[in-house]
Amino acid sequence: MISFENDYLAGAHPQVLQALNNYNLQQEPGYGQDILTQMAIEKLQQVMNCPEANIYFLSGGTQTNQVVIDTMLTKYQGVITVQSGHINDHEAGSIEFSGHKVLPLTSTDGKISAKQLQTYMEAWHVDPNHGQMVIPKMVYLSYPTELGTIYSKAELTKIAQTCRQNDLLLYIDGARLGYGLMSPQADLTLADLAHLSDIFYIGGTKVGALYGEALVFTHNNAPAHFSLALKQHGALLAKGRGISTQFLALFTDDLYFQISQQADNFALQIKAALQAKHYQLFVDSPTNQQFFIMPKQQMTEFQDKLKFNHWSTFDSEHDVVRCVTSWATTAQQVEFLIAQL
Amino acid sequence: MISFENDYLAGAHPQVLQALNNYNLQQEPGYGQDILTQMAIEKLQQVMNCPEANIYFLSGGTQTNQVVIDTMLTKYQGVITVQSGHINDHEAGSIEFSGHKVLPLTSTDGKISAKQLQTYMEAWHVDPNHGQMVIPKMVYLSYPTELGTIYSKAELTKIAQTCRQNDLLLYIDGARLGYGLMSPQADLTLADLAHLSDIFYIGGTKVGALYGEALVFTHNNAPAHFSLALKQHGALLAKGRGISTQFLALFTDDLYFQISQQADNFALQIKAALQAKHYQLFVDSPTNQQFFIMPKQQMTEFQDKLKFNHWSTFDSEHDVVRCVTSWATTAQQVEFLIAQL
Amino acid sequence: MISFENDYLAGAHPQVLQALNNYNLQQEPGYGQDILTQMAIEKLQQVMNCPEANIYFLSGGTQTNQVVIDTMLTKYQGVITVQSGHINDHEAGSIEFSGHKVLPLTSTDGKISAKQLQTYMEAWHVDPNHGQMVIPKMVYLSYPTELGTIYSKAELTKIAQTCRQNDLLLYIDGARLGYGLMSPQADLTLADLAHLSDIFYIGGTKVGALYGEALVFTHNNAPAHFSLALKQHGALLAKGRGISTQFLALFTDDLYFQISQQADNFALQIKAALQAKHYQLFVDSPTNQQFFIMPKQQMTEFQDKLKFNHWSTFDSEHDVVRCVTSWATTAQQVEFLIAQL
Amino acid sequence: MISFENDYLAGAHPQVLQALNNYNLQQEPGYGQDILTQMAIEKLQQVMNCPEANIYFLSGGTQTNQVVIDTMLTKYQGVITVQSGHINDHEAGSIEFSGHKVLPLTSTDGKISAKQLQTYMEAWHVDPNHGQMVIPKMVYLSYPTELGTIYSKAELTKIAQTCRQNDLLLYIDGARLGYGLMSPQADLTLADLAHLSDIFYIGGTKVGALYGEALVFTHNNAPAHFSLALKQHGALLAKGRGISTQFLALFTDDLYFQISQQADNFALQIKAALQAKHYQLFVDSPTNQQFFIMPKQQMTEFQDKLKFNHWSTFDSEHDVVRCVTSWATTAQQVEFLIAQL
């Protein structure tokens, strides 16, 4: 049975495993002091055209979000996100566990707008009770969003401006960054993200790595003693080389971008097939996650040959279904899926 | 200038101060081991007809909410409340600071319904992602609510049943409990609250005390080592007698109920006067807090003789105004207010 | 039966209760915005000759220690104290509960020395593993100490210098401050403490108040948004007037100093009597706490007429006993005690 | 230059990397629900003869210690360890960061004794202030210790009994477990550890894995909803397969034990050579870490050809030096080292 449930079904891209093999027995110091980590940092600074970036390698997305928010904000400062934001709904309350309030805004397509943000901040400022309220200090958004949608350069630029005008940090969760940047609809580059945000991370776990994310403080703005803070959060690996070696491979010869583009292409082929078969899209996504409405009965019929992700209940007869491609998806798998529709 | 801004404008009811004087030089052990605390506990158990209640005296409402939620829930368990719940909006994120997620439900009158709760829990159970989500484990509501409204016995009974069916603890914030119970519309008694809820607190600060709240675990369900947990939270006073003596006075000869009733009567006189003068009510409150719409200009004109609480902005020309009475409000103050309308 | 167990056996000094009565019905805003709090702040700034002091009123000592350490330090910064420091041993782990490590130094008389501190910091700096260790950032000491001893001006000045040279904040716990300052051996004034420390608190609970401590940031160095942080910690009282009115009374006409001096005098009379009767002192304290060795059997014989505090076990036959006087101790009580020895 | 600084200098044992390769493209569900994780769990249960063990795979040792202590203890419960315990000194205060106090006992060889533990618990029980003190609830020890020493079966059995008699959980940090178990002096097996402790972990990072530790709750005693707690701590990896596959390889054909034994043998060869050359041992270690005294000048002379770990300063002329072997150490490296002495 073939699964399209998510983008972390396979291990690592073969070139990534090969890199781990290549450097395997080389003696290296621990805790991120190794030469491979230094090489990966320089490679990423170069690719994102951002020599002043501070870069750290963490083991997963929830951990990265938790550490960033906890070290960049004081406890009485909160983080604004959409209701469907990963940190709000699907990280087991890890932000609140760290002592910070998540401030959710409504959205139908997974995106936040600069105008919505501005309205929120103005209301907060004039609230007569605001002396008893958490101070909004950061905007968290995902690129692409939980619903696969992406921000245009114009949209993100406006959000960044609104953040600066309101003394808000802009943090971008890039768990699926490659799939966003390589969408045919995307007009943003890695360099743009580094320029517009204060902090972001480049997802590895969902884009070719076995584990690991690259966290970027874009303008030499990592908190003081950040490695010590990582250690205290249980987020500093003894063998930092494990993740950095993978990023070194991913950003050599544009591998990260090529495998992302391929996954997007497969997803858009599936999308086209779904539309041709008159399935209703739940949201219009240009990236590797496709959401559509499917009769519950059909979900049941498929279950022996194809696995989709049951995203939510649409109505008594239909479910919202998520179909996800990744760097590991093959043309054969896509053909098989399309043949079943 | 006379203020109706809130119900904590004055010190303590004179009989409360008198009690502090009466017992002042009596030598008593610290940390709640004194005879006055024991007497206050027994008095309250008797008044609420609940001999199995565990009772503790804490210094304020936010502290009480924080300690209750933090000691009754595991970190990955969240607390359901209305969007306008005090713990959600006006306690500076103290619940999240303690590591717990607040799960807000929408409401227009400050109340939650059993049905709303049931729907929420059913949706949570079938959410395909619920393995990554905070587990709802407690319902927090205020009696009366932030908007002065109250639950009927039938409503609260249904909520309590829904809680039990869904393995949810029911916690009632009684910061203004007296003003709720003594409303002419109220059909609940202190004994009913003790019977229906798992935990609640009897507000002192807003109802006659200089400081302090009485926290009640209704069925011998205080967490193990609760005094130690209080100490660790910075919430255990060396002189426990300070608060318990006040509660002893407040619950002698029904003082708590009488002063609450008087404040409600004054508030309802004001409400009747407002309606007679065709002010629009913002919410229909039967307790000591009245909310109405007032032209911004009139707020300005009043400001040298009368102070109301600016609750929120209604529209460009009007504000929502809160007018609050308390045990310290006098007939003369009420007459003066009414004369100005 | 008369107790000398501690200095929080009675309510409040009568002049303190009188002040609460005097201002009782005056309408005042909440959360520390009242005129009484303003008056108390100005009075204290004047008494300590420190117009740049930021002053806040909190309900108890453990809470004050917890909030100060948590708001002045980053989580990976620790606080140095003596092994017997109140925050290390007798506050139920409230500092660690807030996320900070307590770094204990050994001591026999409850005091820390500048030299000991300097040695500790030098060892920390050269520790090859210090990149994985908590960074010492604050020194916590008590004046007087847990054992009733006091620092001389010369000793405290050296400690303050050592702190500055090592980038350490100096925080003084003054739970029993009056009893320290008024000891015949003391050569420090309130103004000296304000000058030498970064933060300290003036104890009220043990020195004439019903509840409350005055927290002083000595050089306009309160953390940003400190009231909001207090609210989030559950430490902001709605009626700030309750504590500030008490401090206003305590620092009017030197009441605080006079009642402290009287208690010290009584304690030193008891000490002299103990020595005359050849009891062995456990520590040589010049303040209101006296520690001495007593046969266990005698403790038992006393228990129907006199209560001392069982501090610790000395050997199989003897206990260490603490005998404490306070503002509420009377000459008759002292005479009675001496007569029993 | 060859380094003996630590046991995490190299990547993963080749057979471990091979296993990652073998299963790489197999589609597997995330978050520990995959068949590889199930296989690794069953393999470990079998090897430790403990079918009732709950087993989880985490990314590193500090994280594992933090999560275990935080989920097994209430906040007012503390963890006893030796002063030199990893959680006390070298984890950046991560236990206190989680809200728990570490209670250190003195030791010269890195070990704690049952008698010491019993004495500590008895003193705690009779401490007159123990109502204000953290409750000791867990004993944390390392096998082998930070100083390479190991407990005998008799010693550990007594400690386990003392724990049970005092209502203490026994948690064993096995970061270097293999090197302990395979020491010629060891008389404990993996099954013994599972039998004697409540929780322990099998270190992977230092014993052949690229990253990851296997956490074992020995008698079906994992906390409820442990995966959710892991998620909330940022410790749940999307690709659980990454670690479990490595453990599957390590525990196939006794690889874990063989590579540990080889490292121990190398270490003992080095120890014998050191003693033959009259170097003074700092501690008598039978495992892969050897500690000895070396003139500072010699450390400097070595630095271009051999790297040891500077553990601490011995005196003005000498350092304490740590020399560590691992699964990746070769006979040639050992010969080279010995030739330099």
Side-chain angles (χ1 to χ4, degrees):
Chain A
M1 185 180 30
I2 298 168
S3 172
F4 288 88
E5 289 174 293
N6 60 57
D7 32 22
Y8 41 90
L9 292 162
H13 190 279
Q15 287 175 241
V16 166
L17 275 192
Q18 187 56 51
L20 288 174
N21 251 302
N22 292 347
Y23 296 110
N24 191 43
L25 293 181
Q26 185 171 315
Q27 285 194 323
E28 289 294 341
Y31 301 110
Q33 302 307 304
D34 57 292
I35 190 69
L36 294 159
T37 295
Q38 193 48 43
M39 284 163 66
I41 288 173
E42 284 166 18
K43 172 74 82 180
L44 287 173
Q45 285 170 332
Q46 198 182 342
V47 172
M48 65 180 78
N49 191 23
C50 189
E52 67 276 26
N54 306 134
I55 302 175
Y56 295 86
F57 298 96
L58 280 80
S59 66
T62 296
Q63 182 181 76
T64 304
N65 291 335
Q66 189 175 42
V67 170
V68 165
I69 292 168
D70 196 34
T71 57
M72 295 299 284
L73 302 188
T74 303
K75 296 292 185 196
Y76 52 70
Q77 296 174 333
V79 53
I80 300 171
T81 181
V82 287
Q83 188 81 45
S84 58
H86 207 254
I87 56 166
N88 190 43
D89 254 14
H90 296 140
E91 297 188 356
S94 69
I95 304 308
E96 293 86 356
F97 178 67
S98 301
H100 302 272
K101 192 170 183 73
V102 175
L103 305 165
L105 302 184
T106 53
S107 168
T108 53
D109 62 355
K111 289 163 66 177
I112 201 178
S113 75
K115 195 179 161 192
Q116 198 180 9
L117 205 53
Q118 183 61 30
T119 302
Y120 182 83
M121 289 307 295
E122 285 170 10
W124 177 77
H125 275 292
V126 301
D127 192 314
N129 291 303
H130 96 238
Q132 319 266 42
M133 292 165 73
V134 161
I135 299 176
K137 181 65 186 169
M138 180 185 273
V139 170
Y140 163 98
L141 55 84
S142 301
Y143 182 90
T145 71
E146 288 298 296
L147 293 172
T149 52
I150 54 173
Y151 293 87
S152 70
K153 187 167 178 176
E155 287 171 334
L156 197 64
T157 301
K158 269 193 208 159
I159 287 174
Q161 284 166 350
T162 305
C163 285
R164 269 153 215 169
Q165 283 156 14
N166 287 279
D167 195 23
L168 294 164
L169 296 165
L170 178 57
Y171 170 47
I172 300 175
D173 178 332
R176 296 186 169 96
L177 193 60
Y179 305 127
L181 293 173
M182 300 315 289
S183 164
Q185 277 187 27
D187 62 354
L188 278 162
T189 64
L190 205 53
D192 292 333
L193 288 180
H195 179 66
L196 291 170
S197 70
D198 293 291
I199 314 127
F200 75 104
Y201 83 81
I202 305 172
T205 301
K206 290 168 178 159
V207 197
L210 182 60
Y211 65 109
E213 327 292 325
L215 171 58
V216 184
F217 296 94
T218 61
H219 43 90
N220 197 23
N221 57 325
H225 302 288
F226 189 64
S227 284
L228 192 60
L230 282 176
K231 179 77 178 170
Q232 195 177 47
H233 280 82
L236 187 67
L237 292 175
K239 294 184 185 167
R241 69 196 288 158
I243 303 175
S244 55
T245 300
Q246 296 182 71
F247 272 89
L248 203 51
L250 286 168
F251 283 87
T252 295
D253 296 335
D254 287 338
L255 178 64
Y256 189 80
F257 299 110
Q258 286 169 19
I259 63 180
S260 297
Q261 189 163 37
Q262 187 187 53
D264 281 347
N265 288 345
F266 284 148
L268 296 177
Q269 285 172 33
I270 295 168
K271 181 182 182 179
L274 285 165
Q275 289 183 299
K277 295 281 183 180
H278 306 295
Y279 285 85
Q280 186 189 339
L281 296 183
F282 177 65
V283 65
D284 187 4
S285 156
T287 62
N288 76 316
Q289 297 184 94
Q290 295 298 322
F291 299 83
F292 57 100
I293 316 294
M294 183 178 268
K296 282 174 192 290
Q297 198 189 332
Q298 197 174 359
M299 270 292 267
T300 312
E301 287 164 17
F302 275 172
Q303 74 190 3
D304 293 331
K305 36 191 183 177
L306 264 184
K307 264 187 155 170
F308 295 123
N309 180 245
H310 175 203
W311 185 252
S312 62
T313 298
F314 186 72
D315 61 26
S316 60
E317 307 276 301
H318 299 80
D319 283 333
V320 178
V321 168
R322 185 179 70 154
C323 169
V324 192
T325 61
S326 80
W327 60 272
T329 305
T330 62
Q332 290 84 338
Q333 289 170 344
V334 173
E335 279 162 32
F336 180 78
L337 184 164
I338 290 173
Q340 310 305 316
L341 294 177
Chain B
M1 184 180 31
I2 299 167
S3 171
F4 288 88
E5 288 173 294
N6 61 57
D7 32 22
Y8 41 90
L9 292 162
H13 190 278
Q15 286 174 240
V16 166
L17 276 191
Q18 188 56 51
L20 287 174
N21 250 302
N22 292 347
Y23 296 109
N24 191 44
L25 294 181
Q26 187 172 313
Q27 286 193 325
E28 289 294 342
Y31 300 109
Q33 301 307 305
D34 57 291
I35 189 69
L36 295 159
T37 295
Q38 194 48 44
M39 286 163 65
I41 289 171
E42 285 166 17
K43 173 73 83 178
L44 287 173
Q45 286 171 332
Q46 200 182 340
V47 171
M48 66 179 75
N49 191 23
C50 188
E52 70 275 25
N54 307 133
I55 302 176
Y56 295 86
F57 298 97
L58 280 81
S59 65
T62 296
Q63 182 181 77
T64 304
N65 291 335
Q66 189 176 40
V67 171
V68 165
I69 292 168
D70 196 36
T71 58
M72 296 299 284
L73 303 188
T74 303
K75 296 294 184 197
Y76 53 71
Q77 295 175 332
V79 52
I80 299 172
T81 182
V82 287
Q83 186 83 42
S84 58
H86 206 256
I87 55 166
N88 190 41
D89 253 16
H90 295 141
E91 297 189 354
S94 69
I95 304 309
E96 293 86 355
F97 178 68
S98 300
H100 303 273
K101 192 171 183 71
V102 176
L103 305 164
L105 302 183
T106 54
S107 168
T108 53
D109 62 356
K111 290 163 65 180
I112 200 177
S113 74
K115 195 179 161 192
Q116 196 180 9
L117 206 53
Q118 184 60 31
T119 303
Y120 181 84
M121 289 307 295
E122 286 170 10
W124 177 76
H125 275 293
V126 302
D127 192 315
N129 292 302
H130 96 237
Q132 318 267 41
M133 291 165 75
V134 161
I135 299 176
K137 181 64 186 172
M138 180 184 273
V139 170
Y140 163 98
L141 55 84
S142 301
Y143 182 89
T145 69
E146 288 298 296
L147 293 173
T149 52
I150 55 175
Y151 293 87
S152 69
K153 187 166 176 174
E155 288 171 333
L156 197 64
T157 303
K158 269 192 209 162
I159 288 173
Q161 284 166 349
T162 306
C163 285
R164 270 155 215 166
Q165 283 157 13
N166 287 280
D167 195 23
L168 293 164
L169 296 165
L170 179 56
Y171 170 47
I172 300 176
D173 179 331
R176 298 186 167 96
L177 192 61
Y179 305 127
L181 293 173
M182 300 315 289
S183 164
Q185 279 187 25
D187 63 353
L188 279 163
T189 64
L190 205 52
D192 291 333
L193 289 180
H195 180 66
L196 293 170
S197 71
D198 293 291
I199 314 127
F200 74 104
Y201 83 83
I202 305 173
T205 300
K206 289 168 178 159
V207 197
L210 182 58
Y211 65 107
E213 327 292 325
L215 171 59
V216 184
F217 296 93
T218 62
H219 42 90
N220 198 21
N221 57 325
H225 302 289
F226 189 65
S227 285
L228 192 61
L230 282 177
K231 179 78 180 169
Q232 195 177 48
H233 280 82
L236 187 67
L237 291 175
K239 295 184 185 167
R241 68 195 290 158
I243 302 174
S244 55
T245 301
Q246 296 182 72
F247 272 88
L248 203 51
L250 286 169
F251 283 87
T252 295
D253 297 335
D254 287 340
L255 179 62
Y256 189 81
F257 300 110
Q258 286 170 19
I259 63 179
S260 296
Q261 189 162 37
Q262 189 188 49
D264 281 348
N265 288 345
F266 285 147
L268 296 176
Q269 285 173 33
I270 294 168
K271 181 183 183 178
L274 285 165
Q275 291 183 297
K277 296 280 183 179
H278 305 296
Y279 285 86
Q280 186 189 339
L281 296 182
F282 177 66
V283 65
D284 187 4
S285 157
T287 63
N288 76 316
Q289 297 185 94
Q290 296 298 324
F291 298 82
F292 56 100
I293 315 295
M294 184 177 269
K296 281 174 193 289
Q297 197 187 334
Q298 198 174 0
M299 271 292 267
T300 312
E301 288 163 17
F302 275 172
Q303 74 190 3
D304 293 332
K305 36 192 182 177
L306 265 184
K307 264 187 153 169
F308 294 123
N309 180 247
H310 176 204
W311 185 253
S312 61
T313 298
F314 186 72
D315 61 26
S316 60
E317 307 276 301
H318 299 80
D319 282 333
V320 177
V321 168
R322 184 179 70 153
C323 169
V324 191
T325 62
S326 81
W327 59 273
T329 305
T330 64
Q332 289 83 338
Q333 289 171 343
V334 173
E335 280 163 31
F336 179 81
L337 184 163
I338 290 174
Q340 309 305 317
L341 294 177
Chain C
M1 186 181 29
I2 298 167
S3 171
F4 288 87
E5 289 174 292
N6 61 56
D7 32 21
Y8 42 89
L9 292 161
H13 190 280
Q15 285 175 240
V16 165
L17 275 192
Q18 188 56 52
L20 287 173
N21 250 301
N22 292 347
Y23 296 109
N24 191 44
L25 295 180
Q26 186 171 313
Q27 287 194 324
E28 289 294 342
Y31 301 109
Q33 302 307 305
D34 58 291
I35 189 71
L36 295 159
T37 295
Q38 194 48 42
M39 285 163 66
I41 288 172
E42 285 167 16
K43 173 74 81 180
L44 287 173
Q45 286 171 332
Q46 200 181 341
V47 171
M48 66 179 77
N49 191 23
C50 189
E52 68 276 25
N54 307 133
I55 302 176
Y56 294 86
F57 299 97
L58 280 80
S59 65
T62 296
Q63 182 181 76
T64 304
N65 291 336
Q66 188 175 41
V67 170
V68 165
I69 292 168
D70 195 34
T71 58
M72 295 299 285
L73 303 188
T74 303
K75 296 294 184 197
Y76 52 71
Q77 296 174 332
V79 53
I80 299 171
T81 182
V82 286
Q83 187 82 43
S84 59
H86 206 254
I87 55 167
N88 189 42
D89 253 14
H90 296 141
E91 296 190 354
S94 68
I95 305 307
E96 293 86 356
F97 178 67
S98 300
H100 303 273
K101 191 170 184 71
V102 176
L103 305 165
L105 302 184
T106 54
S107 168
T108 54
D109 62 357
K111 289 162 66 179
I112 199 179
S113 74
K115 195 179 160 193
Q116 198 179 10
L117 206 53
Q118 183 61 30
T119 303
Y120 182 84
M121 289 307 296
E122 285 170 11
W124 177 77
H125 275 292
V126 303
D127 192 315
N129 291 302
H130 96 237
Q132 317 267 40
M133 292 165 75
V134 161
I135 300 176
K137 181 63 187 172
M138 180 184 274
V139 170
Y140 162 98
L141 54 85
S142 301
Y143 182 90
T145 70
E146 288 297 296
L147 293 173
T149 51
I150 55 174
Y151 293 88
S152 68
K153 187 166 176 174
E155 287 171 335
L156 197 64
T157 301
K158 270 192 208 159
I159 288 174
Q161 284 166 349
T162 306
C163 285
R164 270 156 215 166
Q165 283 157 13
N166 287 280
D167 196 22
L168 293 164
L169 295 166
L170 178 56
Y171 169 48
I172 300 175
D173 179 331
R176 298 185 167 97
L177 193 60
Y179 305 126
L181 293 174
M182 301 314 290
S183 164
Q185 279 186 26
D187 62 353
L188 278 162
T189 64
L190 205 53
D192 291 333
L193 290 180
H195 179 67
L196 291 170
S197 71
D198 293 293
I199 314 128
F200 75 104
Y201 83 83
I202 305 173
T205 300
K206 289 167 178 159
V207 196
L210 182 59
Y211 65 108
E213 327 292 325
L215 171 59
V216 184
F217 296 93
T218 61
H219 43 88
N220 198 21
N221 56 325
H225 302 288
F226 189 65
S227 285
L228 192 61
L230 282 176
K231 178 78 180 170
Q232 195 177 47
H233 280 81
L236 187 67
L237 292 174
K239 293 183 186 167
R241 67 194 293 157
I243 302 174
S244 54
T245 300
Q246 296 182 71
F247 271 88
L248 203 51
L250 285 169
F251 283 87
T252 295
D253 296 336
D254 287 339
L255 179 62
Y256 189 81
F257 300 109
Q258 286 170 19
I259 62 179
S260 296
Q261 190 163 36
Q262 189 187 49
D264 281 348
N265 288 344
F266 285 148
L268 297 177
Q269 286 172 32
I270 295 168
K271 180 182 183 180
L274 286 164
Q275 290 182 296
K277 297 279 183 179
H278 306 295
Y279 285 86
Q280 186 189 340
L281 296 183
F282 177 66
V283 66
D284 187 4
S285 157
T287 63
N288 76 315
Q289 298 186 93
Q290 295 298 323
F291 298 83
F292 57 102
I293 316 295
M294 184 177 268
K296 282 174 192 290
Q297 196 187 334
Q298 198 176 359
M299 270 292 268
T300 312
E301 288 163 17
F302 275 172
Q303 74 189 3
D304 294 332
K305 35 191 182 175
L306 265 184
K307 264 187 152 167
F308 295 123
N309 180 245
H310 175 205
W311 185 254
S312 61
T313 297
F314 186 73
D315 60 26
S316 60
E317 305 278 300
H318 299 80
D319 282 332
V320 178
V321 168
R322 185 179 69 154
C323 169
V324 192
T325 62
S326 81
W327 60 272
T329 305
T330 63
Q332 290 83 337
Q333 290 170 343
V334 173
E335 280 162 31
F336 179 80
L337 184 163
I338 291 173
Q340 311 304 317
L341 294 177
Chain D
M1 186 180 30
I2 297 167
S3 172
F4 288 87
E5 288 174 295
N6 61 56
D7 33 21
Y8 40 91
L9 292 162
H13 190 278
Q15 285 174 242
V16 166
L17 276 192
Q18 187 57 51
L20 287 174
N21 250 303
N22 292 348
Y23 296 110
N24 190 43
L25 293 181
Q26 186 171 313
Q27 285 194 324
E28 288 294 342
Y31 301 109
Q33 302 307 305
D34 56 292
I35 190 68
L36 295 160
T37 295
Q38 194 47 43
M39 285 162 66
I41 289 172
E42 284 166 18
K43 173 73 81 178
L44 287 174
Q45 286 170 333
Q46 199 181 341
V47 172
M48 65 180 79
N49 191 23
C50 189
E52 68 276 26
N54 306 133
I55 302 175
Y56 295 86
F57 298 96
L58 280 80
S59 64
T62 296
Q63 181 180 76
T64 304
N65 291 335
Q66 188 175 43
V67 170
V68 165
I69 292 169
D70 196 35
T71 58
M72 295 299 282
L73 303 188
T74 303
K75 296 293 184 196
Y76 52 72
Q77 296 174 334
V79 53
I80 299 171
T81 181
V82 288
Q83 188 80 45
S84 57
H86 206 255
I87 56 166
N88 190 42
D89 254 15
H90 296 142
E91 297 188 356
S94 69
I95 305 308
E96 294 85 356
F97 178 67
S98 301
H100 303 272
K101 192 170 183 71
V102 176
L103 306 164
L105 302 184
T106 54
S107 168
T108 52
D109 62 355
K111 290 164 65 178
I112 201 178
S113 75
K115 195 179 160 192
Q116 196 181 11
L117 206 53
Q118 184 61 29
T119 302
Y120 181 84
M121 289 308 294
E122 284 171 11
W124 178 77
H125 275 292
V126 302
D127 191 315
N129 292 302
H130 96 237
Q132 318 266 41
M133 290 165 75
V134 161
I135 300 175
K137 182 64 186 170
M138 179 184 274
V139 170
Y140 163 99
L141 55 84
S142 301
Y143 183 90
T145 70
E146 288 297 298
L147 293 173
T149 52
I150 56 173
Y151 293 87
S152 69
K153 187 166 177 176
E155 287 170 334
L156 197 64
T157 302
K158 270 193 208 160
I159 288 174
Q161 284 166 349
T162 306
C163 285
R164 268 155 216 167
Q165 282 157 13
N166 287 279
D167 195 24
L168 293 164
L169 296 165
L170 179 56
Y171 169 47
I172 300 175
D173 179 332
R176 297 186 167 95
L177 194 58
Y179 304 127
L181 293 173
M182 301 315 289
S183 164
Q185 279 188 25
D187 63 353
L188 279 162
T189 65
L190 205 53
D192 292 333
L193 289 181
H195 179 66
L196 292 170
S197 71
D198 294 292
I199 314 127
F200 75 104
Y201 82 83
I202 305 172
T205 301
K206 290 168 178 160
V207 197
L210 181 59
Y211 64 108
E213 327 292 325
L215 171 59
V216 183
F217 296 93
T218 61
H219 43 90
N220 198 22
N221 56 326
H225 302 289
F226 189 65
S227 284
L228 192 59
L230 282 177
K231 179 77 179 171
Q232 195 178 46
H233 281 80
L236 187 66
L237 292 175
K239 294 184 185 168
R241 68 195 291 159
I243 302 174
S244 55
T245 300
Q246 296 181 72
F247 272 88
L248 203 50
L250 286 169
F251 283 87
T252 295
D253 297 334
D254 288 339
L255 178 63
Y256 189 81
F257 300 110
Q258 287 170 17
I259 62 179
S260 296
Q261 190 163 36
Q262 187 187 51
D264 281 347
N265 288 345
F266 286 147
L268 296 176
Q269 285 172 31
I270 294 167
K271 182 183 181 178
L274 286 164
Q275 291 183 298
K277 297 278 182 181
H278 306 296
Y279 285 85
Q280 185 188 340
L281 295 183
F282 177 66
V283 66
D284 186 4
S285 158
T287 62
N288 76 316
Q289 298 185 93
Q290 294 299 323
F291 298 82
F292 56 101
I293 315 295
M294 183 177 269
K296 281 176 193 290
Q297 199 188 331
Q298 196 174 3
M299 269 293 266
T300 311
E301 288 164 16
F302 275 173
Q303 73 190 1
D304 293 331
K305 36 192 181 174
L306 265 184
K307 263 186 154 170
F308 295 123
N309 180 245
H310 175 204
W311 184 253
S312 61
T313 297
F314 186 71
D315 61 25
S316 61
E317 307 277 300
H318 299 80
D319 282 332
V320 178
V321 168
R322 186 179 68 154
C323 169
V324 193
T325 62
S326 81
W327 59 271
T329 304
T330 62
Q332 291 83 339
Q333 290 170 344
V334 173
E335 279 161 32
F336 179 79
L337 185 163
I338 290 174
Q340 311 304 317
L341 294 177

